[in-house]
Amino acid sequence: MGDSSGSVSIDVEKLSFGGKEHLVKTRFGEVSVTVFGDKEKPALITYPDVALNYVSCFQGLFSCPEAASLLLHSFCIYHISPPGHETGAGPISSDIPVPSVDDLANQIAIVLDFFRLGSVMCLGVTAGAYILTLFAIKYRERVIGLILVSPLCKAPSWTEWLYNKVISNLIYFYGMCGLIKERLLQRYFSKEVRGIAQIPESDTVQGCRNLLDERQATNVWRFLQSINRRHDITEDLQQLQCRTLVFVGENSPFHVDALHMASKLDRRYSALVEVHACGSLVTEEQPHAMLIPMEYFFMGYGLYRTSQLTGSPCSPLSPYCISPELLSPESMGVKLKPIKTRASQEIGEGKHGVYGHEPSLPIFTILTPIFLTRRAMSSATPIGSCAARLMAAACSPRRVRSRLAPLAAAALPAGLSEGALMLADAVSFARTEVGGGTRDELACFVSSQYQPPLECPSSRFLCDPQPLHPSCR
């Protein structure tokens, strides 16, 4: 276990955007922690990227009604800001040494000790994802799950190191000038939302640009120095004792790094979701793409969303909450095309190829059950109403399937029609013919394309009171 001694914690409470801010003093400066929710609930801690805090890094995600249902109703949120990155922070004294990444990870342990927290769930973005991963490696018994957005695990390459060195020098001599903000926005967002000649930049980018004006250049410089001196933790990833969910935008400058990290994680306890047409900051650019993958992720901890017979609130697994565009052949076919095994060949590859199935498995073999299910879902009958749950039950891991299958079975009418038989064949086909790894990645990818309608009310999470069936364990 890492050493978190040599620091002093002083609680200074302030109100911050509806949460309560605590300033925890350490030998590397004050750490701002903003708390939202009931402290009796399980804890979820967040850590942002360089030059960001929880407002500019996670506001988009937590502003979604479904995310509020998913996260705020299930956890007490502890937003940890890097030293000097909280709103209204002054410059850190030059007498305080620049912390290393290990010091920043130890600061998290100090925060947990201050709030008397045991094991926590972690959510981090890029530099923050690296810090939380390092924390999970050093304090394995204190992390029950990792949600990493565009994460890093390797030491900076010569190109990245030189680029960060130039940016650091510009920040040191010129402060948060226009050039620095443009380079940071390129780090966070894809070019589609940053704007081009005829298309102005999005409101999200404009809001982030305004918030960057509030950052103290000295504090940003210090955090960038720490991240630029990070060490390689690839070999330590196998020591993680928690489940890991990795998100990355396909246009992120850290896309390759995230794929490398995902390939080194234990595939039995990790999943990768690539978000189409998105940069590094998925939490702000496409927060809806994170909702259902996180919902499946939390199912493994006994938290899942149940459908309401009254129709409000309704489950995202209900066809009435699924956008009609997702049921079109173009959506179901074209959007599934990027689903490929990107892991290195030596991982999970045996005589039957990656994931244990034949490498020559044609794409229509995977798409057939999904198209059959889409046809059943197009019906407005009770059979159609349970189609999404049945497909989720077929595509989910066994423990998740054991929770969803009874719900789907209860929705079936006594008389089976052609649609029900078609759906049953599709589910059976998906369970028997599609390899486990491919099946789970299909579920994650379809989930990442989910865009809930604005009028869809939030749902709540309940713990599963029923034991698992022996055949599903």
Side-chain angles (χ1 to χ4, degrees):
M1 177 174 175
D3 183 14
S4 60
S5 61
S7 301
V8 179
S9 299
I10 300 178
D11 182 20
V12 180
E13 296 185 359
K14 296 190 296 183
L15 293 179
S16 177
F17 297 96
K20 182 177 292 185
E21 183 180 11
H22 304 258
L23 297 180
V24 181
K25 186 176 181 180
T26 72
R27 63 191 181 97
F28 294 104
E30 293 179 335
V31 179
S32 171
V33 184
T34 306
V35 182
F36 290 83
D38 184 0
K39 293 185 179 180
E40 297 299 321
K41 295 181 179 180
L44 184 148
I45 64 174
T46 71
Y47 210 101
D49 194 15
V50 173
L52 301 177
N53 56 25
Y54 80 93
V55 178
S56 52
C57 191
F58 300 104
Q59 186 178 32
L61 177 63
F62 284 89
S63 295
C64 298
E66 290 292 333
S69 164
L70 182 66
L71 299 173
L72 294 178
H73 288 187
S74 303
F75 298 97
C76 181
I77 312 299
Y78 295 80
H79 293 294
I80 302 177
S81 296
H85 280 54
E86 66 273 13
T87 302
I92 299 177
S93 173
S94 58
D95 297 333
I96 299 177
V98 176
S100 66
V101 289
D102 292 280
D103 295 328
L104 294 175
N106 291 335
Q107 280 185 337
I108 298 176
I110 297 172
V111 170
L112 267 57
D113 291 339
F114 177 79
F115 289 102
R116 298 179 180 179
L117 300 176
S119 299
V120 298
M121 185 76 66
C122 298
L123 168 61
V125 177
T126 311
Y130 177 91
I131 298 298
L132 291 179
T133 305
L134 181 60
F135 170 73
I137 293 172
K138 293 167 66 70
Y139 301 86
R140 294 191 293 272
E141 71 282 358
R142 306 198 71 170
V143 178
I144 60 174
L146 284 172
I147 303 175
L148 308 176
V149 181
S150 304
L152 307 170
C153 69
K154 297 188 296 185
S157 63
W158 282 106
T159 304
E160 182 189 351
W161 181 88
L162 181 59
Y163 180 83
N164 288 341
K165 203 67 175 177
V166 173
I167 296 297
S168 297
N169 289 338
L170 290 174
I171 293 176
Y172 186 85
F173 289 106
Y174 299 102
M176 296 296 290
C177 60
L179 176 61
I180 295 300
K181 288 188 287 187
E182 288 297 329
R183 292 297 175 264
L184 289 175
L185 292 175
Q186 290 178 9
R187 174 188 178 99
Y188 307 145
F189 300 103
S190 63
K191 62 181 180 180
E192 286 79 9
V193 297
R194 293 201 312 270
I196 53 179
Q198 291 79 18
I199 303 177
E201 65 184 16
S202 67
D203 294 339
T204 301
V205 177
Q206 291 180 5
C208 185
R209 183 189 299 275
N210 295 333
L211 290 172
L212 287 177
D213 291 332
E214 303 176 3
R215 299 284 82 78
Q216 291 288 339
T218 301
N219 302 345
V220 175
W221 176 84
R222 290 167 60 89
F223 190 27
L224 189 58
Q225 289 288 99
S226 301
I227 294 301
N228 209 31
R229 298 170 183 171
R230 69 182 186 273
H231 51 86
D232 195 327
I233 58 175
T234 302
E235 298 301 324
D236 298 323
L237 293 178
Q238 292 294 330
Q239 300 179 19
L240 291 176
Q241 298 178 354
C242 61
R243 302 179 184 180
T244 306
L245 177 61
V246 178
F247 292 93
V248 62
E250 68 172 1
N251 297 331
S252 168
F254 307 104
H255 183 258
V256 175
D257 298 83
L259 295 182
H260 168 77
M261 181 173 181
S263 70
K264 299 301 180 182
L265 293 169
D266 191 335
R267 295 197 64 86
R268 296 174 298 172
Y269 309 110
S270 63
L272 169 66
V273 179
E274 296 181 66
V275 183
H276 178 68
C278 186
S280 300
L281 204 56
V282 183
T283 53
E284 290 292 316
E285 188 170 346
Q286 292 194 34
H288 288 100
M290 301 179 62
L291 295 182
I292 290 186
M294 287 195 302
E295 182 175 355
Y296 279 109
F297 184 70
F298 291 140
M299 284 177 180
Y301 298 91
L303 297 172
Y304 67 102
R305 198 184 305 269
T306 59
S307 61
Q308 303 294 324
L309 298 178
T310 59
S312 178
C314 52
S315 167
L317 295 180
S318 169
Y320 303 107
C321 286
I322 297 179
S323 176
E325 291 78 12
L326 293 182
L327 303 181
S328 65
E330 294 79 6
S331 175
M332 298 298 288
V334 175
K335 289 191 176 182
L336 284 175
K337 184 178 179 181
I339 285 297
K340 299 177 181 178
T341 302
R342 293 176 178 263
S344 57
Q345 293 298 313
E346 68 270 16
I347 296 182
E349 182 172 1
K351 64 181 181 179
H352 293 296
V354 182
Y355 301 132
H357 58 74
E358 292 294 336
S360 59
L361 185 67
I363 187 64
F364 69 83
T365 305
I366 300 176
L367 295 182
T368 298
I370 298 177
F371 278 112
L372 291 175
T373 306
R374 178 185 62 80
R375 288 183 57 186
M377 289 176 64
S378 63
S379 172
T381 64
I383 297 173
S385 68
C386 71
R389 298 187 188 92
L390 280 176
M391 193 59 200
C395 292
S396 302
R398 284 188 174 182
R399 291 182 180 271
V400 178
R401 188 163 65 228
S402 66
R403 298 185 178 100
L404 294 179
L407 295 176
L412 282 173
L416 293 179
S417 67
E418 179 183 359
L421 294 175
M422 182 189 309
L423 184 58
D425 291 340
V427 173
S428 176
F429 184 93
R431 285 183 175 176
T432 57
E433 297 297 327
V434 181
T438 303
R439 182 176 61 236
D440 297 341
E441 287 194 3
L442 274 172
C444 285
F445 186 83
V446 174
S447 300
S448 71
Q449 305 302 315
Y450 169 71
Q451 298 291 338
L454 295 179
E455 68 273 14
C456 179
S458 302
S459 305
R460 61 191 180 94
F461 276 81
L462 298 173
C463 291
D464 184 10
Q466 301 177 351
L468 295 175
H469 191 277
S471 63
C472 297
R473 291 179 180 174

